[in-house]
Amino acid sequence: MIVGLDIGTSVIRVAIGEVDEESGKVTIAGTASRKSAGLRNGVIVNIEDAKSVIRETIEAAELDAGVTVSSVITAIGGTQIDSQNSRGIVAVRSSNGNSREITREDVEKVIESSTAVPVSEDREKLHVIPQDYIVDGYGGISDPIHRIGTRLEAKVHIVTAAKTIISNIRSCLTRAGYTLDGVMLKTLAQTQSVCQDDELDLGSIVIDLGAGTTDALVLLGGAPIGTASIRVGGNLVTNDIAIVAGISVATAENIKIESGCCWGEMITEENDKEVIIPGVGGRPPEVVMQSQICQIIQARMLQIFTMVKTAINKQTHDSMKQLLGNVILTGGGAQMEGVVELAESVFKPLSVRVGKPENLGGIQENYRRPDFATVIGLILANKNLAVRKDRTKRNKRHIDKQNKNEDGFLTKLKKLFF
């Protein structure tokens, strides 16, 4: 069993996966989601409030799956994440100076060499992901082990996170009664659940449309080449509706979910429907058209996508020109009507699609939505961890049983002879 936890700005989501040790097949046993508390822009600002909601969400998923959870894997994103590309070189000559076969130890050394970059004391290395291996000047090698050469180079992508953010997450989970098994970059986890192999190789962009932030991961040749995050998300769209319509944020959020559209060309005179704006303070309700709401939403969503594109170009030094895959939209914002068409207008000539996790079984399939891409990705990316933990538990039980049997035999001997 392995548990994915997505601590989002507006919603906390949990998925529980069961992993078959022999086949490696994952089955989703239970899911749950609850409205967040104690978070701002994806960062825990009130540990007690966040702890209560996290525990409530996990308990709901436990009830759904019929199991008990003791540990989780979670994901982080937002502006507290930073990344950079680096490279390392090591010699692999034999004792007589000739070329030799590259070993796993050589690969470990070149990865270690590539990560010898300055990182500030307040940051922690989250991931070191190989992008490419080069043997004697020949690149495009995914696995250099057993190749013959004299020099091995590695290009890697390094992701770092603020130590305080991870410490706060660990503290929050400990207070809630759970162990933190690991932390993963949110968009990297999502690639496991929504990306196809050809999309990774050809070059694609995963964009997580969250409530507090919008994050992006650029992939090329099967590996990340850059990350980007802007401190703008779906909450700002809700605020725009609330301000223009003169209503509460909660009412504006409901209108966005029920009648939201961010591509005006989808609304014609024939299908333009009425939207009722509730009255406030004795003011009578007002009727507006969906096309008017769309104008508010489209302006802000266009700004978000444009800001993301600018941030990506800056991070990857204009590498978007090399991408031939797709833009894959995830997160709660990816469920809005017209979001694909609007994103295509910004990221053309790339095609755009909504990323939904594949069917992994289970009694319910409500996880097959873009807002569950993170928790499902966490499970798929870490399924080997579940197998290792299960083996460790079984080994411990076996040893305990042996010790118990031996203790019992010795006790009987003492009673017999003394």
Side-chain angles (χ1 to χ4, degrees):
M1 186 176 68
I2 193 161
V3 183
L5 169 67
D6 179 13
I7 308 173
T9 302
S10 63
V11 179
I12 291 175
R13 299 176 180 86
V14 173
I16 299 175
E18 294 179 346
V19 186
D20 183 86
E21 184 176 343
E22 293 183 3
S23 66
K25 182 181 178 182
V26 175
T27 302
I28 302 303
T31 61
S33 62
R34 294 290 185 274
K35 186 175 176 56
S36 294
L39 283 104
R40 184 181 299 121
N41 294 329
V43 177
I44 296 174
V45 294
N46 188 313
I47 288 180
E48 287 301 312
D49 288 349
K51 175 200 75 174
S52 299
V53 180
I54 287 172
R55 186 160 55 198
E56 180 187 341
T57 312
I58 293 177
E59 287 174 351
E62 286 178 325
L63 188 63
D64 192 33
V67 298
T68 301
V69 170
S70 61
S71 62
V72 302
I73 292 177
T74 192
I76 59 174
T79 53
Q80 62 265 26
I81 293 295
D82 197 7
S83 68
Q84 60 180 307
N85 295 316
S86 180
R87 64 190 301 161
I89 305 174
V90 295
V92 291
R93 290 187 179 92
S94 60
S95 56
N96 59 10
N98 295 327
S99 59
R100 64 170 173 81
E101 192 176 272
I102 296 171
T103 65
R104 185 170 301 279
E105 289 73 21
D106 295 320
V107 174
E108 291 173 356
K109 286 179 182 178
V110 77
I111 293 295
E112 184 179 349
S113 171
S114 65
T115 58
V117 293
V119 176
S120 60
E121 293 183 359
D122 63 338
R123 301 196 69 81
E124 178 179 325
K125 287 179 183 175
L126 204 59
H127 304 290
V128 178
I129 308 164
Q131 297 171 319
D132 188 21
Y133 291 102
I134 304 165
V135 178
D136 293 344
Y138 292 95
I141 300 170
S142 58
D143 185 3
I145 295 176
H146 303 312
R147 287 180 175 267
I148 304 296
T150 59
R151 187 182 67 176
L152 175 64
E153 299 177 58
K155 294 180 180 179
V156 301
H157 187 69
I158 303 171
V159 180
T160 64
K163 286 183 178 179
T164 54
I165 300 298
I166 297 176
S167 296
N168 284 337
I169 293 173
R170 183 174 285 106
S171 174
C172 185
L173 287 170
T174 300
R175 288 169 180 265
Y178 306 101
T179 302
L180 180 62
D181 277 339
V183 180
M184 192 173 183
L185 176 63
K186 194 171 186 179
T187 46
L188 186 62
Q190 291 173 354
T191 63
Q192 299 291 316
S193 62
V194 301
C195 290
Q196 305 296 323
D197 289 342
D198 56 348
E199 290 177 318
L200 299 177
D201 292 333
L202 291 172
S204 299
I205 306 170
V206 176
I207 300 178
D208 177 33
L209 297 168
T213 61
T214 302
D215 300 339
L217 180 69
V218 186
L219 303 134
L220 181 62
I225 62 171
T227 62
S229 180
I230 59 171
R231 205 185 292 270
V232 179
N235 283 349
L236 205 56
V237 176
T238 303
N239 290 340
D240 288 345
I241 298 172
I243 292 170
V244 173
I247 54 179
S248 68
V249 171
T251 302
E253 179 69 15
N254 290 333
I255 290 174
K256 183 182 76 172
I257 293 172
E258 294 173 6
S259 305
C261 176
C262 60
W263 187 241
E265 293 183 19
M266 298 182 72
I267 302 175
T268 63
E269 290 186 9
E270 289 75 20
N271 64 13
D272 197 2
K273 61 182 182 182
E274 294 182 345
V275 178
I276 298 176
I277 306 295
V280 178
R283 188 182 68 196
E286 181 183 356
V287 177
V288 300
M289 303 307 294
Q290 186 186 21
S291 56
Q292 294 174 270
I293 301 297
C294 179
Q295 289 176 5
I296 301 169
I297 297 174
Q298 182 169 338
R300 184 62 75 181
M301 290 297 293
L302 178 61
Q303 181 195 30
I304 289 173
F305 282 128
T306 303
M307 290 174 68
V308 169
K309 185 177 181 179
T310 301
I312 289 172
N313 280 327
K314 184 178 179 181
Q315 241 295 321
T316 62
H317 307 290
D318 227 14
S319 293
M320 276 185 60
K321 296 175 182 177
Q322 303 176 45
L323 306 182
L324 300 173
N326 295 322
V327 174
I328 302 141
L329 305 178
T330 62
Q335 300 180 96
M336 185 180 295
E337 188 179 2
V339 70
V340 169
E341 290 77 7
L342 180 61
E344 283 180 339
S345 72
V346 175
F347 290 95
K348 59 185 179 185
L350 291 175
S351 297
V352 180
R353 70 176 182 86
V354 174
K356 298 178 182 179
E358 62 180 304
N359 185 0
L360 297 173
I363 298 175
Q364 299 178 348
E365 294 183 13
N366 57 353
Y367 58 85
R368 299 195 66 191
R369 307 197 311 251
D371 54 326
F372 269 87
T374 299
V375 287
I376 302 302
L378 286 170
I379 292 171
L380 293 173
N382 294 279
K383 62 182 181 180
N384 291 334
L385 173 65
V387 174
R388 289 197 300 271
K389 287 177 65 178
D390 188 52
R391 286 175 180 167
T392 302
K393 287 180 180 178
R394 288 207 308 269
N395 290 338
K396 186 177 184 301
R397 285 198 297 267
H398 180 68
I399 293 170
D400 289 344
K401 185 177 180 181
Q402 281 185 324
N403 292 339
K404 185 177 180 181
N405 290 338
E406 290 173 4
D407 290 344
F409 180 68
L410 290 172
T411 302
K412 289 177 182 178
L413 281 177
K414 287 178 181 179
K415 287 181 178 179
L416 185 62
F417 292 104
F418 298 100

